[in-house]
Amino acid sequence: MFYQCPKCKTCWQHPISKCPNCFVQPERIRSNKAKVIGVSRVIIPTLTHPIVPYFALVLEDERGNRWAQKSVKEYKVGEEVSFDSESSPEAVAIWRVKYDILEAIEKIVELIGGIKINQNSKIIILPTLIFPAHPYLGENTNPQVLDTVIKFLIQKGAKAENIKVAGQSFDEIPIEVSAKKSQFLQVCTENKVGLLDLAKTKFVKKTADSFNFEISAELYEQDIIINLPTLNIHPKLGVSGATENIFKFLNKRSYLALKYLFASEQIFSKINESLPENILTVGEAMNVQKKNKFTVLLSFVLAGYNMVNMDRVFAEICMLDSLPEYLKKTKIENIPVIGRKIKEVQFNIETI
Ligand SMILES: [Zn+2]
């Protein structure tokens, strides 16, 4: 993606609000083709790039714009670099956010087969919202990612009044307090979308084997459901990401009772049978929390329809020494990974 001033034709690799010469807003210009014009083979590992060898490519698009990209696959000068999309529900797409979150969201959604939206589509977005914390602490979904996803949906044809951002408090902290401090409230107000406290919605009873769930009725009235977790490493859970976030669609009482009786993985495998199909998960790994609560700047996003696969891919990216119980049965080699390769973004999160 490049940003070009429509007047003086100056190009930038990063988004800027106005051209410093003409004071007009640059246009976003997509690169459709990327040709390799330079290759360097890197054989010395570093903390952020522990997997070697890899290749540092210099790419050039059809307009002569150039940029660098890491690749685990070797390319020859003159070859074209492309990324295939995959519409399998098991697939997980990975994309790195360079400067522009919108570019990354557009790319991962396209990679997993796109999304069909019209002006009547009713959409619910469930970001991680667990703590009244400033964005840099990485407790909740990054508000810039939430803002970008809303703008992306509107750009695709959705109406702001048909979009809801949902949350629910499972502790003593009122959801409004968390929404304000996390800057979600501001994002919702600016985009004119509603903030929905799931605790105030009706819940419907669903049963799967001996498990009884009370799931928000709102969910069954939507055309599109977007699970928008922040992906983190958790001291007890191992990974706190896509699957953990989905529990917020349950009634608090039902959730606490189930948590008391069963392990998360047992609840998840059953709740998944009761949830509507085709929940799109967009996982953000902008500032990722380690077990010690310090954050690491990762800057990538994942997308897919299988939440367990997404958490498994995230655990692999972070090179966790031991997998949490609920991810042990999911073999990484069976997950179709599209976009960037795991090895291109992988590093040991605990040693960095
Ligand atoms: Zn200009």
Side-chain angles (χ1 to χ4, degrees):
M1 185 71 72
F2 284 84
Y3 308 86
Q4 189 179 45
C5 170
K7 240 175 154 181
C8 70
K9 306 288 174 200
T10 310
C11 251
W12 291 268
Q13 275 205 40
H14 51 88
I16 61 167
S17 57
K18 273 182 187 133
C19 168
N21 307 316
C22 325
F23 303 106
V24 289
Q25 196 186 354
E27 289 167 347
R28 297 171 85 235
I29 295 176
R30 240 184 122 134
S31 306
N32 293 316
K33 283 183 182 164
K35 213 167 93 178
V36 179
I37 58 163
V39 186
S40 297
R41 186 165 182 264
V42 182
I43 51 166
I44 299 168
T46 55
L47 276 179
T48 44
H49 304 280
I51 314 283
V52 287
Y54 66 88
F55 302 89
L57 310 177
V58 181
L59 303 176
E60 188 181 69
D61 72 1
E62 64 278 18
R63 295 162 195 266
N65 298 311
R66 292 174 179 185
W67 69 100
Q69 190 165 297
K70 181 181 172 182
S71 168
V72 287
K73 186 183 158 194
E74 185 172 8
Y75 285 90
K76 298 263 179 306
V77 170
E79 273 186 275
E80 220 172 83
V81 176
S82 61
F83 301 94
D84 295 330
S85 63
E86 163 87 54
S87 52
S88 152
E90 302 302 318
V92 176
I94 306 175
W95 201 252
R96 193 175 269 288
V97 178
K98 212 170 156 195
Y99 304 105
D100 186 346
I101 301 172
L102 179 60
E103 179 202 6
I105 300 288
E106 286 171 342
K107 191 72 192 178
I108 46 164
V109 173
E110 179 193 307
L111 284 169
I112 53 151
I115 186 169
K116 285 194 183 75
I117 299 174
N118 62 48
Q119 55 173 356
N120 298 319
S121 302
K122 291 175 85 180
I123 304 170
I124 198 162
I125 307 171
L126 181 74
T128 306
L129 182 55
I130 45 172
F131 203 65
H134 286 296
Y136 66 89
L137 293 169
E139 292 274 1
N140 308 311
T141 295
N142 184 306
Q144 276 181 298
V145 176
L146 174 65
D147 180 58
T148 308
V149 167
I150 295 171
K151 290 193 163 75
F152 167 77
L153 295 168
I154 293 173
Q155 178 190 301
K156 283 267 172 196
K159 278 193 168 168
E161 63 257 38
N162 292 334
I163 303 174
K164 286 174 195 164
V165 173
Q168 186 177 192
S169 169
F170 280 170
D171 51 32
E172 303 308 312
I173 305 160
I175 197 75
E176 294 81 4
V177 175
S178 298
K180 194 171 180 197
K181 194 124 186 194
S182 63
Q183 298 178 10
F184 287 7
L185 200 60
Q186 195 187 335
V187 169
C188 288
T189 312
E190 280 173 10
N191 289 292
K192 299 187 174 67
V193 306
L195 189 65
L196 176 73
D197 182 357
L198 290 166
K200 291 177 183 151
T201 63
K202 280 187 188 152
F203 288 87
V204 285
K205 287 208 168 85
K206 299 269 172 184
T207 306
D209 294 338
S210 55
F211 288 75
N212 293 312
F213 299 109
E214 288 179 43
I215 301 174
S216 174
E218 278 285 329
L219 225 58
Y220 302 90
E221 290 163 16
Q222 308 297 322
D223 300 304
I224 295 165
I225 302 167
I226 300 175
N227 178 27
L228 186 67
T230 184
L231 305 171
N232 278 327
I233 303 302
H234 191 277
K236 281 197 201 126
L237 302 169
V239 173
S240 171
T243 43
E244 186 62 24
N245 195 42
I246 211 76
F247 291 137
K248 284 291 165 85
F249 282 131
L250 288 172
N251 176 322
K252 181 179 172 184
R253 193 188 51 211
S254 147
Y255 168 78
L256 293 177
L258 286 163
K259 269 272 174 184
Y260 183 72
L261 294 168
F262 307 100
S264 288
E265 56 269 21
Q266 289 174 295
I267 311 173
F268 182 75
S269 69
K270 292 297 161 199
I271 190 184
N272 213 9
E273 294 170 21
S274 309
L275 290 170
E277 280 180 8
N278 296 330
I279 297 181
L280 169 64
T281 298
V282 177
E284 65 94 356
M286 301 297 285
N287 288 304
V288 172
Q289 261 188 15
K290 303 199 285 183
K291 283 180 190 162
N292 62 9
K293 295 266 172 182
F294 280 97
T295 55
V296 184
L297 186 72
L298 290 196
S299 298
F300 60 82
V301 282
L302 307 176
Y305 289 93
N306 184 317
M307 296 167 223
V308 174
N309 282 0
M310 180 174 298
D311 284 347
R312 180 66 188 87
V313 166
F314 179 67
E316 192 70 15
I317 289 173
C318 296
M319 299 172 85
L320 289 195
D321 347 322
S322 64
L323 284 177
E325 220 33 64
Y326 78 103
L327 295 179
K328 280 186 178 158
K329 280 188 210 138
T330 310
K331 295 268 171 287
I332 192 76
E333 53 274 21
N334 296 340
I335 305 174
V337 173
I338 43 179
R340 307 305 300 269
K341 304 268 183 300
I342 289 177
K343 281 183 179 170
E344 288 168 359
V345 287
Q346 196 173 31
F347 65 94
N348 190 325
I349 193 150
E350 291 306 326
T351 57
I352 201 163

